[in-house]
Amino acid sequence: MKGVIFDGKEAQVVDDLEVRDPDVGEILVRIAAAGLCHSDLSVIDGTIPFPVPVVLGHEGAGTVEAVGPGVTHVHPGDHVALSTLANCGTCAECGRGRPTMCRKAIGRPGKPFTRGSQPEVPLYNFASTSVFAERTVVKAVQAVRIDPAIPFTSAALIGCGVLTGVGAVLNRARVGLGDTVAVIGCGGIGLNVIQGARLAGASRIVAVDAVAGKEAVARQFGATDFVDARAVDSTVEAVQALLPEGVDHAFECVGATALVRQAVDLLNRHGQAVLLGMTRPDAEASFRPAEMFLDKSILGCRYGSSRPQVDIALYAELYRSGRLLLDELVTAVYPVEEFHAAAEATHGGGVARAVLTF
C-alpha cells in the first residue's frame, strides 16, 4: 500500500507499506483523507525529534475495516475521525478527565508497519496514528464515529487542528462571554482558535499575521480586527491601539520565541498567554517576571486539553449545525503521491490546510 515515510534524511512516498492486523483493543482503518500539519513537517526538519524510520501523518479520517478483540464502540464500515491520543483510560490522569496528560499516550510509539522490500525493518507510527498511509492500526479509543454525511476531507481536520485550536479556547483558556482575544498566527491552528473564540462569545478577536492576504479568511472565521505584522513597527502597539488595556487572552500559534514574548506583552491585568506553537525542545523565551504580579499567567496547552471522545463528537455536531467551519479550512486537496507539492504549499504559509487523499 502507499504511504509517506521519513527515514531520517528525507521524506518519500512509497508503495510497498504493510501494516499488521489489529490486536486487542485496536482497529484497522482505511484512511480516506489526512490533513498535512506543520507537526509532520517538524519531524522532517528536526524541530520535533522522533525515531525513524516512521510513517508520518496524524490528522485523519476514514472507514473502519476490522476490529480487534474487545472493541465494541465502533464496527467495520463506520466512518471515524481519529485522534492522536492513545490514552489508556485507567491511569490517574485519565480518571481525572485529563487524557492529554496520560503518560502511556506520550512518547511511546509502536511499530505496526513494515515494507515489502525491507520486511526486517519495522517502521514507527507517528503520534500513534500514521495516517499518511492507505491503512493504519490505532487504538480503538482514538476513533470517534462521525456522520457519513461529513466529507472525509473536512472530518480529517477535527483530529488535530480543530481539537487543538478550538479546545485551547474552550477547555484550557476557558474564554468567557465578552472577553477580548489576540491570536498570533492565522494558519490551521490559529484559525481554529479564532472560531473557538467566536463560539465562546468573545467581544473582540484580533488576528495577527505576517501575511496580509490572510485577513479575509481570519475575518471569515470570526476575527473582528486584523493586524498585518509586517506593515507595523510594533505588533504590540498596533494591538494596543485597538485595545489600549490589552487583551484577556493571547494565543501564540506559530512556535517562535519572540512571539511568546509578544503574547505576554499583549495581556491586560489578569490576562493569560496560551502557547500552542511548537518550538524546538531547546528553545528559550524571555519575559518580564514582574508583570506576573498583575495576575497574568502563561499556560501551556497539549492538544487543546481535549477529551477526544467528547470533543470530536461535539465539533462534528457543531459543523452539522453550521456553527463550526471545516470545509473552509481545506485550502487544497492533493493525492498522496503529490505529498511534496502539498508540503511546499504548507511551508509557504499560503494554505490553512492542505489535505492528502487516498
Side-chain angles (χ1 to χ4, degrees):
M1 65 182 182
K2 295 175 183 176
V4 180
I5 69 169
F6 177 60
D7 63 5
K9 296 181 180 179
E10 64 177 353
Q12 56 183 311
V13 181
V14 301
D15 60 6
D16 61 348
L17 273 182
E18 297 178 4
V19 66
R20 63 170 173 76
D21 293 332
D23 204 339
V24 176
E26 296 178 334
I27 62 173
L28 175 69
V29 180
R30 183 180 184 88
I31 299 299
L36 176 53
C37 176
H38 277 282
S39 294
D40 300 298
L41 302 179
S42 293
V43 173
I44 297 172
D45 68 23
T47 301
I48 298 178
F50 205 86
V52 294
V54 57
V55 179
L56 296 174
H58 65 286
E59 186 181 71
T63 304
V64 177
E65 284 204 342
V67 302
V71 177
T72 59
H73 80 286
V74 291
H75 305 89
D78 285 346
H79 287 206
V80 293
L82 300 179
S83 84
T84 69
L85 203 59
N87 61 295
C88 71
T90 60
C91 70
E93 296 293 354
C94 286
R96 295 185 182 106
R98 299 195 297 240
T100 58
M101 294 295 104
C102 175
R103 285 177 169 78
K104 293 184 179 180
I106 301 174
R108 302 188 183 197
K111 297 180 180 180
F113 298 95
T114 57
R115 293 183 63 185
S117 59
Q118 304 173 37
E120 73 283 357
V121 182
L123 288 81
Y124 288 96
N125 63 342
F126 177 55
S128 302
T129 42
S130 291
V131 293
F132 290 173
E134 290 184 77
R135 292 177 179 82
T136 190
V137 168
V138 299
K139 287 189 175 181
V141 71
Q142 296 174 247
V144 181
R145 281 187 298 175
I146 57 173
D147 189 321
I150 301 177
F152 281 125
T153 49
S154 296
L157 307 186
I158 301 177
C160 178
V162 177
L163 276 182
T164 299
V166 177
V169 174
L170 302 182
N171 301 329
R172 186 65 168 133
R174 298 185 182 275
V175 172
L177 185 66
D179 285 356
T180 56
V181 173
V183 182
I184 303 172
C186 298
I189 300 299
L191 290 176
N192 280 297
V193 171
I194 290 170
Q195 70 171 333
R198 170 177 54 80
L199 288 167
S203 61
R204 297 285 291 273
I205 304 170
V206 183
V208 179
D209 202 280
V211 179
K214 290 186 177 180
E215 178 174 1
V217 68
R219 290 186 181 277
Q220 179 184 20
F221 275 72
T224 59
D225 305 90
F226 184 85
V227 171
D228 178 356
R230 293 196 178 185
V232 297
D233 294 329
S234 167
T235 298
V236 174
E237 291 179 2
V239 175
Q240 290 176 339
L242 299 168
L243 295 165
E245 294 182 347
V247 298
D248 298 311
H249 312 272
F251 295 84
E252 199 286 326
C253 305
V254 178
T257 54
L259 298 182
V260 172
R261 170 61 179 270
Q262 205 172 88
V264 175
D265 289 345
L266 285 172
L267 297 178
N268 192 0
R269 297 185 177 197
H270 201 69
Q272 52 186 15
V274 184
L275 310 186
L276 297 177
M278 178 62 70
T279 63
R280 298 186 67 89
D282 58 352
E284 296 183 359
S286 65
F287 63 94
R288 292 185 289 266
E291 291 191 9
M292 299 299 106
F293 291 97
L294 293 174
D295 278 4
K296 298 180 182 181
S297 57
I298 301 173
L299 304 180
C301 183
R302 172 175 163 78
Y303 203 38
S305 300
S306 61
R307 301 158 298 162
Q309 287 292 330
V310 174
D311 293 344
I312 289 178
L314 170 62
Y315 300 157
E317 182 57 33
L318 289 174
Y319 166 79
R320 290 182 67 251
S321 68
R323 298 176 62 194
L324 185 79
L325 304 182
L326 293 180
D327 303 341
E328 295 80 359
L329 286 168
V330 182
T331 309
V333 178
Y334 300 82
V336 67
E337 295 87 350
E338 297 181 17
F339 166 78
H340 292 289
E344 184 176 352
T346 301
H347 267 307
V351 300
R353 265 298 189 269
V355 176
L356 302 178
T357 56
F358 295 83

